[in-house]
Amino acid sequence: MATKTLSIGTVHDKIPADLHKVLTKNEKARATWEDITPLARNEWLCWVESATLNETRARRIKRAEEELAAGDRRPCCWIGCIHRTDKAISPSVQWVLSRGKKKS
């Protein structure tokens, strides 16, 4: 069985194996994936890859499959990819990121 080629994001230019598997088996999710912009794909990739626990990552993979199959173009409630270097991080995202640092 040949591996299906999928479009990638911008900063995150590799699709993790677990997400790739979901996208190649779910036709509706794959159709949305291919229809969204590289920046939108980047948001999904960053959202999945930023999970620090295996359980969280598994939940995000499942949600990505369901939400992409439903036609959602970006992950809900995601602050956006902080890895982009083509624009400054917005003040609201800076605030969210700074909240995690104050816990001491």
Side-chain angles (χ1 to χ4, degrees):
M1 181 177 188
T3 303
K4 296 185 180 189
T5 302
L6 296 169
S7 298
I8 56 173
T10 53
V11 176
H12 300 272
D13 58 357
K14 290 188 172 80
I15 301 174
D18 47 1
L19 182 59
H20 190 279
K21 181 179 178 181
V22 163
L23 292 172
T24 54
K25 78 172 179 137
N26 187 318
E27 203 170 302
K28 288 182 179 180
R30 183 175 60 250
T32 301
W33 181 263
E34 292 300 329
D35 188 52
I36 61 179
T37 66
L39 284 175
R41 286 191 293 270
N42 194 71
E43 298 289 317
W44 286 104
L45 292 167
C46 189
W47 181 63
V48 167
E49 292 182 340
S50 69
T52 55
L53 298 174
N54 290 336
E55 296 82 14
T56 304
R57 185 181 179 101
R59 257 192 334 270
R60 288 183 183 184
I61 293 291
K62 184 175 176 16
R63 271 191 56 199
E65 178 180 16
E66 292 168 354
E67 292 177 16
L68 285 164
D72 293 350
R73 303 180 74 75
R74 299 210 186 233
C76 173
C77 308
W78 177 239
I79 61 171
C81 178
I82 62 170
H83 303 102
R84 288 180 58 190
T85 58
D86 61 328
K87 67 173 195 155
I89 297 175
S90 72
S92 60
V93 172
Q94 287 176 356
W95 178 80
V96 169
L97 293 172
S98 71
R99 287 178 41 208
K101 293 178 183 174
K102 291 182 181 178
K103 296 177 183 176
S104 299

